[in-house]
């Protein structure tokens, strides 16, 4: 069956890993403590604070301890949904203030625009929250890219290294997995997507390989019609 939808990772695939680790994470680490303390009474924030308490097993943690836990999770690059949601809120303020601009590789921008024009449905699957995904593409250095996408998925759909997550996403998209092409720079994610029945293509910017998967060095080398 021909490919009808393309599902792409962000970090290391459409966007530089350095943007996440050298720009976004430090920004969140610096601004998250004050944000949590200042907005703890907001319903959207308080819900995530409660989620941090539950996930950490510290149900009686005060706000200062919650902040400590969040900073520990940032340092460990923990894929906690509550952390991702709060980081997204902090980044939203940074984007609105013009302090942050989303990085997307030029070759990714060109390909995404071309695929959209060709009729492929484009989706994102990242460990970052849906809100954070929309901010990266909506406030990109080249302008708003969100009109190109039909949907976004985060860890609420499951872990990225589990095949069931990709089956669940295919169901949400409404297509057989065999009609979806998944792009990532992580072999275990590609393995999981293939397990679910998706086609896969690995992105390696520089030297390296992703065992068992076709690998390209640029979005410009990907032709969805060949799958």
């Amino acid at each position: 069956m021909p490919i009808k939808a393309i599902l792409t990772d962000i970090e290391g695939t459409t966007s530089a890993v350095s943007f996440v680790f050298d720009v976004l994470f430090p920004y969140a680490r610096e601004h998250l403590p004050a944000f949590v303390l200042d907005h703890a009474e907001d319903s959207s924030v308080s819900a995530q604070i409660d989620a941090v308490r539950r996930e950490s097993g510290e149900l009686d943690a005060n706000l200062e301890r919650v902040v400590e836990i969040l900073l520990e999770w940032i340092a460990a690059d923990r894929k906690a949904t509550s952390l991702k949601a709060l980081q997204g809120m902090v980044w939203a303020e940074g984007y609105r203030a013009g302090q942050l601009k989303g990085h997307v590789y030029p070759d990714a921008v060109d390909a995404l625009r071309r695929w959209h024009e060709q009729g492929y449905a484009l989706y994102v699957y990242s460990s970052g929250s849906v809100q954070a995904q929309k901010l990266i593409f909506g406030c990109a250095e080249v302008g708003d890219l969100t009109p190109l996408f039909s949907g976004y998925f985060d860890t609420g759909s499951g872990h990225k290294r589990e095949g069931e997550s990709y089956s669940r996403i295919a169901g949400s998209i409404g297509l057989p997995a065999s009609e979806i092409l998944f792009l990532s720079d992580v072999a275990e994610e590609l393995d999981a997507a293939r397990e679910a029945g998706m086609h896969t293509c690995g992105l390696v910017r520089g030297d390296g390989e992703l065992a068992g998967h076709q690998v390209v060095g640029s979005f410009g080398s990907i032709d969805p019609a060949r799958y």
Side-chain angles (χ1 to χ4, degrees):
M1 295 183 183
I3 295 298
K4 293 182 179 177
I6 299 170
L7 178 68
T8 183
D9 171 49
I10 294 179
E11 181 183 321
T13 304
T14 65
S15 306
V17 173
S18 60
F19 173 68
V20 176
F21 283 92
D22 298 340
V23 178
L24 291 183
F25 281 3
Y27 188 92
R29 188 165 53 244
E30 178 182 353
H31 293 87
L32 187 144
F35 178 86
V36 170
L37 296 175
D38 292 344
H39 298 276
E41 300 301 319
D42 296 352
S43 59
S44 58
V45 177
S46 64
Q48 299 305 328
I49 290 173
D50 289 340
V52 171
R53 291 179 174 128
R54 290 194 301 272
E55 187 165 349
S56 65
E58 298 186 32
L59 298 180
D60 297 325
N62 59 24
L63 282 179
E64 286 72 18
R65 176 54 188 155
V66 168
V67 168
E68 290 179 357
I69 293 169
L70 289 166
L71 293 177
E72 291 168 2
W73 287 354
I74 289 176
D77 191 24
R78 181 163 174 172
K79 310 299 185 183
T81 300
S82 54
L83 169 62
K84 298 300 182 182
L86 289 167
Q87 284 178 320
M89 296 176 194
V90 171
W91 291 328
E93 289 196 341
Y95 283 110
R96 281 195 296 267
Q99 297 172 333
L100 295 172
K101 288 289 185 182
H103 172 267
V104 184
Y105 286 112
D107 59 274
V109 173
D110 291 343
L112 291 168
R113 287 174 170 163
R114 181 173 64 255
W115 295 338
H116 178 73
E117 291 175 357
Q118 292 172 343
Y120 293 102
L122 305 180
Y123 296 87
V124 179
Y125 182 28
S126 173
S127 57
S129 68
V130 167
Q131 180 187 23
Q133 297 171 28
K134 291 180 177 178
L135 288 169
I136 285 179
F137 290 110
C139 301
E141 296 164 340
V142 296
D144 184 5
L145 298 175
T146 56
L148 302 179
F149 296 98
S150 297
Y152 305 81
F153 301 94
D154 58 18
T155 52
S157 296
H159 294 293
K160 296 186 70 182
R161 302 187 181 195
E162 297 178 357
E164 290 183 0
S165 304
Y166 297 85
S167 297
R168 196 172 294 117
I169 288 173
S172 296
I173 290 174
L175 289 174
S178 59
E179 296 181 1
I180 301 173
L181 172 62
F182 176 61
L183 312 177
S184 175
D185 67 324
V186 178
E188 292 83 357
E189 295 176 3
L190 296 167
D191 292 340
R194 176 177 287 172
E195 177 186 328
M198 292 185 183
H199 294 271
T200 63
C201 183
L203 270 293
V204 176
R205 296 180 180 277
D207 296 330
E209 62 181 32
L210 299 171
H213 299 275
Q214 177 189 359
V215 172
V216 297
S218 164
F219 270 68
S221 300
I222 302 172
D223 181 2
R226 293 183 177 179
Y227 291 86

